[in-house]
Amino acid sequence: MKTESNPDQIIIIFDTTLRDGEQCPGATLNVDEKLVIARQLARLGVDVIEAGFAYASPGDFEAVSRIAQTVGTENGPVICSLARATKGDIAAAAEAIKPAVHGRIHTFIATSDIHLQHKLRKTRAEVLEIASEMVAYAKSFTDDVEFSPEDAGRSDPEFLYQVLERAIAAGATTVNIPDTVGYTTPAEFGGLIRGIQENVPNIDQAIISVHGHNDLGLAVANFLEAVKNGARQLECTINGIGERAGNAALEELVMALHTRRQYFNPFLGRAAESEAPLTQINTREIYKTSRLVSNLTGMLVQPNKAIVGANAFAHESGIHQDGVLKNRLTYEIMDAQSIGLNDNLIVLGKHSGRHAFQARLKELGFELSEDELNKAFVRFKELADKKKEITDWDLEAIANDEIQQAPELFRVELVQVSCGSQSCPTATVTLRTPTGAELTDAAIGTGPVDAVYRAINRVVNLPNELIEFSVQSVTAGIDAIGEVTIRLRHQGRVFSGHAASTDIIVASAQAYVNALNRLHGAVEAETARGAAQTKPVEAL
Ligand code: KIV
Ligand code: ZN
């Protein structure tokens, strides 16, 4: 991890998009997608990446291990794996983070009475012992051990102090205080952190971290109060994705600390007027990271979302527009440039060659395989024929699409629709199946997309319910690429799909097939593993 001369004066950003963020329904990512996100998180400048929960599944283990290998470099972020407080979990986490230059094991056990009685069925004395023993066990693999008392927000503070003291004595270098159910209010959460500072005798030997969910919409406010009371690590996710209402949003925390640094400076022992950033985040990478995570997880960003929503920097009313034209500061507290919103440069055109295309993708952080690159280049040329100027966002849309394909599964070969005011929408589709065969079918529907989806269903034959469908344009202009994001449900599980094309019917077909591929992959994996192993990871 990048070190600061005085760690008390900097806020550590711990990103858990790939672990807690991925726990939200439908946000499941494959290993390649996780790698792309991890590389972008490193470019964004996060200090720690919680890359997954290594013990949870072979896929999670592989993701943590490959991220540790490729992103966990000398100057890169710390790569962390979550582990319940058991030897099996901790050993798996240790093995997965091994390739990283800086690796961390994050182990946890619940401390609230409600969790002890109903979930763990353990006494406080037992939990104290387990926490201490398992931190010591984790410490036998790495110096960097984080301990979390799950549901700290609803735990008895006196018991919490004891558990934290024991965990630090056993070697925890970070103690993380989770508001697991998003229950606390800012004043309470700040008070909890102050209480820990004042009542845990060895707290000076660990960094206090906070983790929180947004059930009452208070996660970011709680964290900012925690910072004022001594927290120096914030656990957050891009776009605030995560279990239920999500986690604290990284972009909101970082921009609050950045925009209001003069307010926060004194709480970190700095001079109020200091302009030095409070985090090591390169804020200009925020918008791009948000788009990437939204595209790959299929979790759309609401237009009025703070910092990264489509309307976050838009001024609609005449009075506001007039004010901003006279002086931006009348209605803007942040510069859109500071989150990289205007970095969508026109970079390539019809005459750009493969080399320039590949070089720009590399600068944008995409490392495509030879095959992916060939396909992406063909799509770029097709797009350049239709659209004079190709921007970074267009390139991202193409590259994301290629990364998301699972070539061994279904692939759209042809989509043809006939529709209009006087006709019955009819679609014909040809899909390349997992065995390499091409299958064609046709259907009618209430509209062209419905007809296409019905035709695809006739080929794929995987029952599902479409629960979300959205089309957004990547850039302005009538020739813009349209991005389609869909979510579907199969036996209670949600799968998302995303695709981009200047033809939104084609993008709709590809997004649907993309989601069906994920569904198909999950069904196959479960069949291969056998029902017994597909149970969710349980509490201790
Ligand atoms: O919300 C929570 O309590 C967690 C812990 C595992 C840190 O995610
Ligand atoms: Zn959590």
Side-chain angles (χ1 to χ4, degrees), residues 19-20 82 106 108 148 150-151 176 178-180 211 213 235:
R19 198 279 295 171
D20 219 343
L82 185 70
H106 174 193
F108 72 99
S148 290
E150 191 191 6
D151 204 16
N176 178 47
D179 182 15
T180 303
H211 178 109
H213 288 263
E235 298 199 355

Side-chain angles (χ1 to χ4, degrees), residues 28 60 114-115 140 177 188 203 242 254 266 282 295 308 311 315 415 418 484 530:
T28 316
D60 261 60
I114 195 160
H115 277 231
S140 70
I177 312 304
E188 282 171 337
I203 196 67
V254 167
N282 175 2
N295 286 345
V308 289
N311 295 349
H315 299 280
V415 182
S418 145
V484 175

Side-chain angles (χ1 to χ4, degrees), residues 273-331:
E273 64 282 3
S274 169
E275 286 292 334
L278 282 163
T279 70
Q280 310 209 67
I281 295 294
N282 175 2
T283 62
R284 287 187 74 123
E285 291 287 330
I286 284 179
Y287 191 65
K288 191 174 149 205
T289 316
S290 161
R291 285 173 50 81
L292 179 71
V293 169
S294 172
N295 286 345
L296 293 184
T297 58
M299 298 292 295
L300 294 175
V301 173
Q302 76 201 52
N304 60 326
K305 163 87 178 60
I307 317 296
V308 289
N311 295 349
F313 290 90
H315 299 280
E316 187 64 23
S317 89
I319 295 174
H320 286 208
Q321 286 173 350
D322 180 51
V324 168
L325 285 174
K326 287 176 175 149
N327 184 332
R328 203 179 49 75
L329 296 178
T330 50
Y331 287 101

Side-chain angles (χ1 to χ4, degrees), residues 344-366:
N344 184 28
L345 306 175
I346 294 160
V347 282
L348 300 175
K350 190 177 168 138
H351 301 294
S352 307
R354 189 187 150 91
H355 188 70
F357 175 71
Q358 183 178 17
R360 188 61 196 158
L361 280 184
K362 205 159 180 192
E363 277 164 21
L364 290 171
F366 293 99

Side-chain angles (χ1 to χ4, degrees), residues 1-4 10-13 41-47 254 270 277-283:
M1 179 166 46
K2 298 148 281 180
T3 48
E4 275 304 299
I10 195 89
I11 302 293
I12 297 165
I13 299 295
L41 291 172
R43 256 191 307 278
L44 176 67
V46 306
D47 303 283
V254 167
R270 300 170 168 215
L278 282 163
T279 70
Q280 310 209 67
I281 295 294
N282 175 2
T283 62

